[in-house]
Amino acid sequence: MLGAHRERIERDLPATARVLDVGGWAAPMERADWVIDLMPHETRGLYGSSDPARERFSADTWVQRDICDRQPWPFEDDSFDFVMCAQTLEDIRDPIFVCAEMARVGRAGYVESPSWRAELTHGINGAWTGYSHHRWLVACDEQRAEVEFLFKFHTVHADPYRLAPHELSEAERITWLWWDGAFTARERIVMEPAELDEELRAFVAAHTPPPRRRRRLR
């Protein structure tokens, strides 16, 4: 999670707020009262161990289950004041269902995923384009309170559709949505290869950094 956004959550949420972390196993948020994830409580912290002294959740409030199993999560409607889901939706097979459940059980929340700029940059996570294990290109629209998912076609690994290796700031690497009341999620389905070809080429052209000017030696 972007550091500034983590600080905002910790600073602005009142102590009485009931908070759910969706898919937080790899780097759980201590502020969460509940966590729902496929992996068990005792194995948490793959990408960053939380401080047990600060954890509001416990083994009793850690729900281990497949969040995409198309069964309602074991929480009542609007049972959480805040629901967060960071760096998870791009990994899973059914992010539409997960977003619907987040909107059902929460009154407000935060969603974060890698940006198109990160997913289309070659070498950002290895000798390929973007992150090798991600299924979706994700775009958050705060004005429309919407998250859009586009299948990450293998064409992104070809030269015309990828950005050359370059530095991205922490904020440029992500897309995010603060939502209040409700938000929507949808899959964008592309039927014509030419449509995808045109969009990826345009995106790469718009976000390719200008070449560095060489200094002339006198």
Side-chain angles (χ1 to χ4, degrees):
M1 184 184 294
L2 186 68
H5 293 177
R6 177 183 287 267
E7 292 173 4
R8 173 178 167 179
I9 291 171
E10 294 176 339
R11 180 188 67 244
D12 293 351
L13 283 181
T16 56
R18 194 164 183 250
V19 179
L20 172 66
D21 186 350
V22 178
W25 165 77
M29 185 85 167
E30 291 99 338
R31 179 57 186 83
D33 300 282
W34 287 76
V35 178
I36 184 168
D37 196 283
L38 179 67
M39 302 300 289
H41 171 265
E42 60 272 15
T43 66
R44 67 194 184 282
L46 175 66
Y47 297 138
S49 298
S50 53
D51 181 357
R54 297 180 58 217
E55 291 175 350
R56 290 173 57 127
F57 62 85
S58 66
D60 292 334
T61 61
W62 185 287
V63 178
Q64 183 184 357
R65 66 177 291 170
D66 178 358
I67 59 176
C68 298
D69 64 5
R70 283 281 170 174
Q71 297 298 317
W73 297 348
F75 308 117
E76 298 295 327
D77 294 0
D78 295 329
S79 55
F80 292 96
D81 299 296
F82 196 84
V83 179
M84 67 187 83
C85 183
Q87 304 295 322
T88 295
L89 296 173
E90 66 280 355
D91 296 310
I92 58 180
R93 69 183 183 278
D94 194 351
I96 309 298
F97 172 76
V98 170
C99 286
E101 280 297 277
M102 290 171 60
R104 179 184 70 81
V105 305
R107 299 186 181 94
Y110 173 76
V111 171
E112 177 185 300
S113 286
S115 64
W116 273 47
R117 291 184 70 175
E119 292 289 4
L120 296 182
T121 296
H122 183 69
I124 197 170
N125 185 237
W128 46 79
T129 302
Y131 299 88
S132 62
H133 58 292
H134 291 171
R135 304 171 186 237
W136 304 97
L137 296 175
V138 185
C140 294
D141 187 330
E142 292 214 287
Q143 184 174 4
R144 298 171 61 183
E146 181 182 82
V147 186
E148 179 188 83
F149 299 90
L150 174 65
F151 177 72
K152 188 179 175 184
F153 292 90
H154 291 289
T155 51
V156 301
H157 300 290
D159 284 335
Y161 311 118
R162 66 184 185 185
L163 292 161
H166 65 286
E167 291 296 323
L168 291 174
S169 69
E170 188 179 4
E172 289 173 331
R173 287 172 176 256
I174 65 170
T175 182
W176 65 84
L177 172 68
W178 298 95
W179 58 275
D180 188 8
F183 74 104
T184 59
R186 69 184 183 96
E187 179 183 358
R188 181 179 157 205
I189 300 174
V190 176
M191 299 297 294
E192 296 296 332
E195 178 186 348
L196 182 66
D197 173 87
E198 181 179 354
E199 180 165 0
L200 291 179
R201 286 178 183 271
F203 185 92
V204 168
H207 293 88
T208 296
R212 292 183 178 181
R213 298 182 61 183
R214 294 184 178 181
R215 296 180 61 186
R216 297 181 63 183
L217 299 177
R218 296 183 178 178

